[in-house]
Amino acid sequence: MKILVCNVGSTSLKFKLYDMPGEKVSAQAYVERVGSRDDGIYTYTNLAEKKTFRQTQVAVPTYTEGIQLFLTDLISEEKGCLTGIGEIEAVGFKTVLSRGHYGVHRLTEEVLQGMEDYMAVAPAHNGPYLEAIHVFQKLLPQAALIGSFETAFHQTIPLAESLYAIPYEWYEKYGIRRMGYHGASHGHVAAMLLEREGEADQVVSCHLGGSCSLCAIDGGKSLNNSFGFSLQAGVFHNSRVGDMDAYIIPYLLKQGLTIDEITFGLEKNSGLLGISGVSNDLRQVEEAAEAGNERAVLAVDMFVNSIVSHIGAYAAQMGGLKQLVFTGGIGENSASVRRRVCRRLAFLGVKLSDEKNESSGKDKVISAEDSQVKVHVIPANEELGIARNVYRELTHVL
Ligand code: ADP
C-alpha cells in the first residue's frame, strides 16, 4: 500500500512516499520557501534509483504549487516511481490540533472544523495544514486523507497531570488543559526502545529542535509532556517562550502593550533568541557564548536548566529514571547540551561516556557501561510513525 506522508511547515512542505507494511520509502521531497514567487527551493529524491534533483528559483506562491511539483515528479518518466497518481491510497498528515479529535482520524468535515475551532491555539500549524488538506482533496480525490494528530500519543496522560488548576468549567466549556504535542516524535522514540530494549519504562524523551518538548514514558505510553494547551509552553524554544507566569500578560496589557505585541514577543522574540539577542539557532548562540557573550551564556544556561528540571520532575512522577533519550536537531547534534544536561543528572545515576557522546553518528548509546540510566541518541523519524498510524487506521492492524 502506497502511503504519502505530508509534513506542512509554515513555509515548507516535506513529503515521503512509503510502501507499507514494508516501510520502504521510495521517494521524498522538500519544498522550501513556500509563499515565494520566484525563489523557492525544491529537492526531490528517488530513493530506489538513488537520484536527487534540486531546483532553485522555483515559483511556489502557495501550497498548491508545492504539492503539484511533487505529484508531477512522482509519475514523471525521468524521476518517477509510480505509474499513476491513483496508486496513492492514503495521505497521512502530521496535523497538530483539532477540537474534540486528538488521535488518528480521517479528515472529515467535522475534524477539519475542529482544526478551525482551535486555529487561535495553533495558528502557525492549523492554517497551513487546512490549506494543504484542501489541495489534496482536489488533487487526490480517491485517496483516504488521514490526520495523525500530534496529540495522539499523549491520550494516556492522566487527567491529574493534564489539567490546570483553573476554574473547572473553563476545562469543560473551552477545553483548556495540557494537550501534549510532538506525539509522532515521542511515539517513535517509545517504539524504538520497545524494539531495541524490549521495554520503554521510566523513560524521558527529550525532543530538542526548533521547538522543544520533553515526554515522560512508562510502559511505552506517554505519562506527561512539557507542552501545554498550546505549543508555546514547557521548555523554552528557539524563539518561543516556554513556561511563564500567566499574570505577566495582564500586567503587560496594563502597561500599554497590545495583545498582538505581546503574542509576537512570546512567539517570535523569546526563547534562545529573546535571551541571547544573538540568534534563534543554538549553534550561533553556543558560538557567541564561547566567545564570551554574557547573554548567550545566560540563554544556554537557562535552556539547560529548563531541560534538567523537567527531567527531574518526570523522574519523580515515574518513581525513577531508567532511560533518557535525545532527539531532534539539537538533541542529535549538540554534544555540549547533552553533556551539560547529563552531568546535572548524576544524582539520578546518569553517567555519560564523553567519548561516545562526542563521536559522530546520530543513532547511538552515549552512557558509560556502568551508568544506571541508559542514555540514547535516536534520530527523529516522525514520518515513519505517521505512516504506521495511517496503515493501522486503514487496516486495523493492532
Ligand atoms: P525543527 O524543530 O524546526 O524541525 P530541527 O529539529 O531540525 O528543527 O532542529 C533545528 C535546530 O537544531 C536549529 O535551530 C539549531 O538550533 C539546532 N541544531 C542543528 N544542528 C546543530 C548543531 N550541530 N549544534 C547545535 N544545535 C544544532
Side-chain angles (χ1 to χ4, degrees), residues 275-278 285 287-299:
I275 297 298
S276 71
V278 172
V285 182
E287 254 174 51
E290 267 162 40
N293 180 319
E294 283 178 17
R295 276 177 53 187
V297 172
L298 183 62

Side-chain angles (χ1 to χ4, degrees), residues 74-91:
L74 279 182
I75 52 169
S76 88
E77 215 155 89
E78 187 196 359
K79 308 177 186 174
C81 55
L82 297 180
T83 48
I85 225 67
E87 277 188 65
I88 300 172
E89 281 187 54
V91 186

Side-chain angles (χ1 to χ4, degrees), residues 202-275:
Q202 296 183 331
V203 178
V204 176
S205 165
C206 308
H207 181 113
L208 309 175
S211 57
C212 303
S213 85
L214 270 62
C215 183
I217 299 169
D218 201 34
K221 296 189 164 65
S222 172
L223 286 193
N224 216 330
N225 178 251
S226 58
F227 277 126
F229 180 56
S230 74
L231 293 100
Q232 315 295 331
V235 181
F236 77 71
H237 309 268
N238 279 17
S239 61
R240 286 185 260 146
V241 59
D243 284 344
M244 184 189 82
D245 181 343
Y247 269 63
I248 293 168
I249 296 174
Y251 177 77
L252 289 176
L253 283 170
K254 285 187 183 140
Q255 297 308 301
L257 271 73
T258 65
I259 193 68
D260 287 345
E261 285 169 333
I262 297 170
T263 35
F264 180 84
L266 297 178
E267 279 175 29
K268 307 268 191 258
N269 206 11
S270 292
L272 287 173
L273 173 63
I275 297 298

Side-chain angles (χ1 to χ4, degrees), residues 51-212:
K51 277 194 206 155
T52 295
F53 305 83
R54 189 163 187 274
Q55 283 170 257
T56 54
Q57 301 184 318
V58 185
V60 203
T62 70
Y63 290 100
T64 308
E65 289 77 12
I67 293 166
Q68 266 164 343
L69 278 169
F70 182 60
L71 294 182
T72 308
D73 277 356
L74 279 182
I75 52 169
S76 88
E77 215 155 89
E78 187 196 359
K79 308 177 186 174
C81 55
L82 297 180
T83 48
I85 225 67
E87 277 188 65
I88 300 172
E89 281 187 54
V91 186
F93 297 89
K94 193 165 81 84
T95 37
V96 171
L97 183 63
S98 167
R99 183 159 192 188
H101 311 280
Y102 301 108
V104 179
H105 303 281
R106 291 198 183 235
L107 294 167
T108 59
E109 285 311 309
E110 200 188 332
V111 176
L112 298 182
Q113 184 56 49
M115 292 174 69
E116 291 276 2
D117 291 346
Y118 269 157
M119 185 71 86
V121 189
H125 301 90
N126 277 12
Y129 267 109
L130 283 167
E131 206 180 315
I133 290 162
H134 287 131
V135 177
F136 274 106
Q137 283 176 329
K138 283 201 200 100
L139 297 181
L140 292 184
Q142 86 292 344
L145 304 188
I146 293 179
S148 176
F149 284 85
E150 283 285 68
T151 46
F153 182 62
H154 301 300
Q155 296 311 289
T156 44
I157 297 179
L159 199 59
E161 295 293 344
S162 65
L163 285 198
Y164 294 104
I166 52 174
Y168 193 80
E169 54 274 23
W170 293 359
Y171 160 59
E172 292 179 309
K173 189 167 176 195
Y174 305 110
I176 300 206
R177 63 171 172 91
R178 290 191 185 88
M179 301 290 182
Y181 300 98
H182 276 165
S185 175
H186 296 303
H188 175 68
V189 164
M192 293 302 286
L193 291 180
L194 285 170
E195 208 176 292
R196 291 175 180 182
E197 305 291 327
E199 60 155 88
D201 296 328
Q202 296 183 331
V203 178
V204 176
S205 165
C206 308
H207 181 113
L208 309 175
S211 57
C212 303

